[in-house]
Amino acid sequence: MALTTRNSGALSGRARLLAMTALAALAVPLLGTASAAQAETQAATYEFDIPAQALSRSINQVASRANVQVLYSGDGSRDLEAPALKGRLTVDEGLARLLAGSGYSYRYSQPGVITLVKAPAGNDGEQVTGVVSVEGVQGSPYFGGAGRDAGVNGTNGSRDITATEGTGSFTSGALTIGSKVPQALKDVPQSISVLTSERLEQQNVTDFTGAMRQLPGVTLAQGATSLENTFYSRGFAITSIQVDGGAPLTTSFAGSDGVGYFPQIDMSIYDHVELLRGAAGLFNGYGDPSGTVNLVRKKPLDHSQVSIEAQAGSWQNYRIVADATSPLAFGGKLRGRLVMTYQDNHYFYDTANDNKTLIYGVAELDASPTTLITAGVNYTKQNSLPWSGGLPRYQTGADLELPRSTCLCFDWNHWRFDTTEIFGGAEQTLGDDWTAKLNLTWNRQQSTRKIGYSSGAVNPSTGAGPRLLGNYADYASKQFSAEGTLSGAFELFGQRQEITFGANRVSSDAGGLTGYSSLITGTAANPYQPYPGGPLFCTNASICQAGVASPPIDVFDFNQSDPNYTEPRNSVASNYYPSYGTVQSGAYVSLKLTAFDRLHLLTGLRWGRYQYNYVSQFLCTSAGGSCQNIGDVSFTDGSSYRDDDFSWPPPLNLSFDVTKQLSAYVGYTDIYVSQSTYLNIDEAPIAPITGSNWEAGLKWAARNGRLNVSLSAYRIKQKGFATADGYTDNDTGDFVASNGVHYPDFGTVDPVHSCCYKSDPNHTLKSKGFDIDITGEILPGWQVSANYTYNENEQAGSYFDSSEGEPLVSIQPKHLYKLWISYDFGVAIHGGALSGLTLSGGVNGQSSAYRQGTVCKEDFIVTNATTGVASCPSKVVDGENVPGSYRYSFTVPAYAVVSGRIDYRISKIWSLAVNIENIFDKTYYQTVGSAPTNGNWYGAPRSYTATLRAKW
């Protein structure tokens, strides 16, 4: 193959190459001097401002600016397009960005001469793209350096080496999840995965729920409303969320599920999402071994870039995102980025909708060559009309088979969010191998919710049963997280050792939460009347003609305009919480020891403290007695407790580098979950849940880090769960403790604590399974993300009686698989009209899952003649009393949902994409409830989204 040069000169390309080869042979005695000159050239930085254009032209401009010579192959590189290149960079940084994903690489054939060649095949025959074998200029392979040089992260001008924007890759060479410094996926001895910027764009992921839906091993279960979800991994709910690798914020605190804080996360401000599956106690402290999510924010770039994205989709869904970044001052040392998002979307079911406005701003300052300061703000205003409760079933458990467009919701429903997040940080480099970081995040969310919903199973004979209920609440929350780390490396016994010291603190407070009495309820003394002159609702048929406590709902002919569904006036506040929160503090040290070249031991120690405090004011809802006015504080209650924990035995992870590409690992992590809300007979918190997380696996990084493959197997055991220490007196509603003390209201001591319990060593949860995850580039232009998860979890011990051996989280399927494949004709060097085309497609599927509940036996159903509502009392059959109900499995049958995307680059600036979800219009329940009264949610039907993007 002929090599030619693009720099001026009298010699032909072939002659020049021969001449340089001869000179190189004669220059051996002068290598020391030449190497010094080359190092000086490579270390120098230059100001580049090159537009998107032909690759050969961009490379020539870089070479000319740096006074180096480029030899390149004449086999098609001149026909490729290169992205814009802006900012102050070294020659190698500039070339790395231009060549990332192009199928070409370069090397220094001699000082001042760079040879551009088709990327060579790897040892096992795969084609390697991006920058490879840049002799003498590749930075340290540690702390993410190898991934940067492979072009799979940190190549688009961000100071964040984990950034995936602009790489076009499905994988990354550096993540901070599982450690506090950027590490290659292969080097972290736990199951970790990434959802890159390219995947977010291709799969049209716009919110946190969509991101979690695409991550390996994660099962989504719809929550109480259309805006709430629970995510399961390895048999446990994921509740820990980090941002930029900082201390974990929580979606569950103050002793309840999400009191006060409801994350409504828009992905337009995040570069990528990282997921660690399994226990993460060393850095994150308390919690189940489900997993931890790390959201990595977009950062300013070192060059100007503007992008606009406009979407229109099925069910009147509209979205626009504007994203601009640029150097601001001080010769590019001060950089900024601004993202503005507006979204107005409806759902495939009637009435419900969501409207969101977001603004995000972040600035970075290079305070010195080794000091980086970051500060930013994120504000979101969201107005939603949610659906609560989902669909009911027949009282026998049978499916109603209602249309997927059915929504038992009302146009006066609303949930309004006002969320502000302020964040900042500092990063100080200390020498070549040490870095100190400080990460701060403060957020505040206030929301008001008023919702009417359907509750009740359907009588299969009359269609009656569901009734209108409603609630109103004011929520408020504040969270502040701070974390400081010092990470670095030192040499011991001739080997590199790595260590991280850190301390964090997360304060979460739902103070300001206000509780209200039920919106819609009727009693004989105070019947409910939906409008003046309307019918009265209460269970006393002689007073209220309806005979039910609230308006009935006909699910088969639902009409939200029925005057019986008129918006009720707000109820009276019944309690207020001036303080309602937790503080989690911790300090840790993580040590990666290398005894031999290939053998590594990762261990550490952690001290943690969990503190809880609440103050509750009970308010007067009527005047009389000790209450002079409605809203007065009738009495105040409060409580607090504290747990301290020291991780012992310490986590131990042993890894072995089988080859440079393949590593094997085995590890142990302890589990600690506080149970301080449960009190023993001495009214003291019971002991925590403890356990172990064992995991072993193989990790392979191929194609110079552009393809990552992992296989992991795990076994989790938890024991010491709280079990009742006494019994409930159904006649009085008291809980009678084993020492004879009676606790009224079924043992409720205060809004958080209950009595009486003991830690039962026979009450055990077991979870085991394995994961397979393949992400990255298989061939030039052909990328894949494929994963399969098997999980089996079960309850064990005498406590469970007949339920022993059944899953604790049965809604999580045993088999879960997710696949997304993309082929970029341009990157694969197809010319002509095909060069702008990218085709993508995939499938998300699972085996069957279920939730256990109780339903009526059909031949035992008794219908109330006045209301038409069914009940299922027991009967005497052959002299024995036979119950009219039995345990029933509400099942999500196995399903697979196929999706696809067509993207075409119209020009260097414009592109148009169409995403099609659920191509075959599969009808399925995505979530089912544990009772026939509600909780059943369809999966979305076929939908289309068109996206027009511009970037310059």
Side-chain angles (χ1 to χ4, degrees):
M1 181 188 303
L3 290 174
T4 58
T5 179
R6 278 305 191 197
N7 278 20
S8 60
L11 295 178
S12 68
R14 187 184 300 271
R16 177 166 295 174
L17 178 60
L18 292 172
M20 287 189 298
T21 304
L23 287 172
L26 294 172
V28 173
L30 303 176
L31 279 179
T33 304
S35 297
Q38 176 177 319
E40 183 178 349
T41 300
Q42 292 163 189
T45 60
Y46 306 89
E47 191 69 37
F48 295 108
D49 188 0
I50 301 173
Q53 58 184 359
L55 177 61
S56 58
R57 186 176 180 183
S58 294
I59 289 175
N60 290 339
Q61 291 178 6
V62 170
S64 176
R65 181 74 178 85
N67 196 29
V68 297
Q69 194 167 27
V70 177
L71 299 173
Y72 77 102
S73 59
D75 62 344
S77 62
R78 70 188 66 190
D79 298 323
L80 296 179
E81 295 288 328
L85 184 68
K86 296 184 180 182
R88 177 164 286 277
L89 309 166
T90 65
V91 175
D92 300 300
E93 289 171 340
L95 290 174
R97 296 185 190 181
L98 292 174
L99 292 173
S102 69
Y104 286 81
S105 64
Y106 73 98
R107 57 176 48 87
Y108 281 85
S109 53
Q110 64 181 66
V113 180
I114 292 172
T115 302
L116 177 67
V117 296
K118 187 77 172 174
N123 294 334
D124 53 358
E126 80 272 20
Q127 185 72 18
V128 183
T129 62
V131 179
V132 297
S133 188
V134 184
E135 298 171 6
V137 299
Q138 286 179 309
S140 168
Y142 304 106
F143 300 152
R148 174 195 57 211
D149 294 332
V152 290
N153 55 270
T155 67
N156 198 38
S158 172
R159 280 288 300 269
D160 182 359
I161 197 173
T162 71
T164 65
E165 179 184 6
T167 65
S169 178
F170 279 15
T171 191
S172 174
L175 304 179
T176 56
I177 196 80
S179 64
K180 290 298 177 180
V181 292
Q183 297 276 8
L185 278 71
K186 182 180 71 69
D187 296 333
V188 178
Q190 286 183 275
S191 296
I192 58 174
S193 301
V194 61
L195 194 64
T196 64
S197 179
E198 182 70 13
R199 288 272 311 280
L200 293 173
E201 179 180 313
Q202 285 201 17
Q203 296 188 258
N204 194 32
V205 175
T206 60
D207 60 15
F208 184 68
T209 297
M212 297 297 287
R213 194 190 304 273
Q214 304 304 338
L215 284 166
V218 176
T219 300
L220 182 153
Q222 190 70 47
T225 72
S226 54
L227 298 178
E228 298 172 87
N229 295 279
T230 301
F231 308 102
Y232 294 99
S233 171
R234 299 189 172 182
F236 305 89
I238 298 174
T239 59
S240 178
I241 300 176
Q242 296 177 347
V243 182
D244 285 344
L249 301 174
T250 179
T251 60
S252 177
F253 62 88
S256 66
D257 293 332
V259 168
Y261 180 63
F262 302 86
Q264 300 295 302
I265 298 171
D266 192 281
M267 296 308 299
S268 62
I269 67 173
Y270 296 102
D271 176 87
H272 66 275
V273 185
E274 303 171 357
L275 171 67
L276 181 148
R277 295 180 297 280
L282 179 60
F283 297 118
N284 295 342
Y286 302 92
D288 283 316
S290 53
T292 300
V293 179
N294 183 34
L295 298 165
V296 181
R297 299 182 182 100
K298 290 180 177 178
K299 305 300 193 305
L301 304 182
D302 62 4
H303 60 275
S304 296
Q305 176 181 290
V306 178
S307 65
I308 297 177
E309 173 185 297
Q311 291 187 346
S314 301
W315 314 305
Q316 299 180 335
N317 287 336
Y318 304 101
R319 177 180 171 91
I320 186 167
V321 179
D323 182 349
T325 180
S326 177
L328 300 177
F330 310 125
K333 293 181 180 179
L334 177 63
R335 303 170 296 279
R337 188 161 193 166
L338 178 67
V339 178
M340 294 182 291
T341 303
Y342 174 79
Q343 180 171 305
D344 185 28
N345 69 280
H346 293 67
Y347 297 86
F348 63 88
Y349 38 83
D350 300 331
T351 308
N353 62 72
D354 187 41
N355 184 282
K356 180 193 303 179
T357 303
L358 175 152
I359 184 168
Y360 165 81
V362 59
E364 286 184 341
L365 174 65
D366 296 327
S368 77
T370 61
T371 307
L372 176 67
I373 307 295
T374 304
V377 63
N378 173 28
Y379 174 75
T380 305
K381 188 175 184 63
Q382 184 171 344
N383 292 321
S384 302
L385 194 163
W387 179 15
S388 179
L391 295 170
R393 290 177 176 260
Y394 286 115
Q395 201 146 6
T396 59
D399 184 13
L400 299 179
E401 298 184 356
L402 294 169
R404 286 179 290 182
S405 60
T406 303
C407 178
L408 306 178
C409 46
F410 307 90
D411 57 12
W412 46 266
N413 283 7
H414 67 260
W415 198 349
R416 301 186 178 105
F417 297 89
D418 194 284
T419 308
T420 301
E421 180 181 72
I422 300 173
F423 60 92
E427 181 175 336
Q428 178 67 53
T429 301
L430 305 168
D432 294 332
D433 290 312
W434 287 86
T435 302
K437 291 184 179 180
L438 176 65
N439 189 310
L440 307 171
T441 298
W442 176 88
N443 68 48
R444 181 189 66 184
Q445 184 183 81
Q446 293 179 303
S447 68
T448 302
R449 181 174 75 177
K450 185 175 186 179
I451 297 180
Y453 59 95
S454 167
S455 180
V458 178
N459 186 333
S461 299
T462 67
R467 297 185 294 114
L468 172 65
L469 297 179
N471 59 56
Y472 179 85
D474 284 335
Y475 298 100
S477 75
K478 294 188 294 290
Q479 291 198 68
F480 177 73
S481 72
E483 180 166 55
T485 60
L486 174 64
S487 305
F490 58 94
E491 189 144 321
L492 183 65
F493 306 125
Q495 299 289 340
R496 177 186 171 90
Q497 320 294 337
E498 297 179 3
I499 192 168
T500 296
F501 302 93
N504 55 33
R505 179 182 173 91
V506 181
S507 172
S508 306
D509 187 10
L513 172 68
T514 306
Y516 295 80
S517 56
S518 176
L519 277 177
I520 304 167
T521 186
T523 64
N526 186 23
Y528 176 73
Q529 189 174 37
Y531 58 92
L536 301 177
F537 292 93
C538 68
T539 54
N540 190 326
S542 61
I543 298 174
C544 303
Q545 61 189 38
V548 291
S550 60
I553 293 177
D554 184 351
V555 298
F556 299 103
D557 188 22
F558 178 67
N559 177 18
Q560 66 159 314
S561 300
D562 188 322
N564 285 333
Y565 307 149
T566 301
E567 179 179 357
R569 58 183 179 271
N570 292 347
S571 51
V572 176
S574 58
N575 58 303
Y576 175 76
Y577 295 87
S579 176
Y580 196 172
T582 63
V583 177
Q584 297 189 57
S585 307
Y588 54 83
V589 57
S590 171
L591 183 61
K592 183 178 181 179
L593 297 172
T594 300
F596 307 101
D597 287 344
R598 297 185 177 186
L599 187 64
H600 314 285
L601 175 66
L602 181 63
T603 187
L605 294 172
R606 178 184 176 88
W607 167 84
R609 171 172 291 172
Y610 184 89
Q611 298 169 276
Y612 168 79
N613 175 72
Y614 95 96
V615 176
S616 176
Q617 297 176 344
F618 291 82
L619 308 179
C620 296
T621 57
S622 61
S626 61
C627 294
Q628 297 183 0
N629 301 293
I630 295 175
D632 287 349
V633 178
S634 59
F635 69 94
T636 299
D637 192 13
S639 179
S640 64
Y641 60 81
R642 189 183 81 182
D643 270 354
D644 290 271
D645 172 57
F646 184 77
S647 61
W648 193 265
L652 294 170
N653 290 276
L654 191 66
S655 63
F656 180 74
D657 298 329
V658 182
T659 69
K660 289 184 178 180
Q661 294 178 313
L662 178 66
S663 66
Y665 70 92
V666 62
Y668 162 86
T669 305
D670 71 326
I671 298 169
Y672 179 97
V673 182
S674 174
Q675 296 189 107
S676 297
T677 58
Y678 299 104
L679 306 180
N680 60 25
I681 57 176
D682 297 323
E683 297 191 9
I686 67 170
I689 299 168
T690 59
S692 60
N693 184 125
W694 288 92
E695 182 173 325
L698 295 170
K699 292 191 174 186
W700 182 53
R703 299 182 56 74
N704 202 33
R706 299 180 69 82
L707 177 66
N708 283 280
V709 180
S710 66
L711 169 64
S712 61
Y714 59 90
R715 189 176 193 91
I716 300 168
K717 185 176 181 180
Q718 283 186 314
K719 62 182 180 180
F721 287 83
T723 55
D725 187 14
Y727 68 92
T728 299
D729 186 333
N730 292 323
D731 294 330
T732 64
D734 290 355
F735 182 86
V736 183
S738 59
N739 60 1
V741 177
H742 285 242
Y743 290 86
D745 195 16
F746 303 98
T748 299
V749 176
D750 56 50
V752 173
H753 294 88
S754 54
C755 197
C756 295
Y757 295 86
K758 59 184 177 181
S759 181
D760 186 353
N762 292 320
H763 187 162
T764 304
L765 171 64
K766 300 177 180 179
S767 178
K768 62 182 179 180
F770 64 90
D771 303 318
I772 301 173
D773 190 11
I774 304 170
T775 55
E777 188 177 61
I778 299 175
L779 291 171
W782 184 9
Q783 297 205 70
V784 63
S785 171
N787 53 82
Y788 167 77
T789 300
Y790 172 80
N791 176 260
E792 182 179 341
N793 59 81
E794 65 173 354
Q795 307 167 125
S798 58
Y799 169 82
F800 294 103
D801 297 326
S802 61
S803 299
E804 182 170 0
E806 292 186 357
L808 181 66
V809 183
S810 56
I811 198 63
Q812 178 175 294
K814 284 188 176 181
H815 306 276
L816 182 68
Y817 56 94
K818 302 176 183 182
L819 171 69
W820 188 259
I821 299 176
S822 174
Y823 188 76
D824 188 323
F825 287 80
V827 173
I829 319 180
H830 288 272
L834 283 178
S835 64
L837 180 64
T838 301
L839 297 179
S840 310
V843 58
N844 281 17
Q846 65 171 61
S847 60
S848 62
Y850 66 94
R851 276 179 169 152
Q852 282 280 3
T854 303
V855 299
C856 284
K857 299 174 181 177
E858 191 166 6
D859 54 348
F860 277 59
I861 291 178
V862 175
T863 301
N864 185 296
T866 303
T867 64
V869 176
S871 60
C872 46
S874 59
K875 290 183 180 181
V876 177
V877 179
D878 296 331
E880 293 186 10
N881 190 46
V882 180
S885 60
Y886 68 104
R887 293 187 72 199
Y888 183 87
S889 294
F890 301 93
T891 303
V892 175
Y895 66 84
V897 177
V898 179
S899 304
R901 177 180 186 261
I902 302 173
D903 183 12
Y904 193 79
R905 293 184 292 275
I906 302 170
S907 70
K908 296 175 182 178
I909 295 177
W910 295 95
S911 67
L912 177 64
V914 176
N915 284 73
I916 309 174
E917 304 294 333
N918 196 356
I919 291 175
F920 299 110
D921 202 23
K922 172 73 175 179
T923 298
Y924 64 101
Y925 277 111
Q926 185 257 305
T927 302
V928 293
S930 58
T933 54
N934 53 30
N936 302 284
W937 301 82
Y938 279 118
R942 182 192 298 121
S943 65
Y944 303 87
T945 302
T947 305
L948 182 65
R949 288 187 175 90
K951 180 181 287 187
W952 65 93

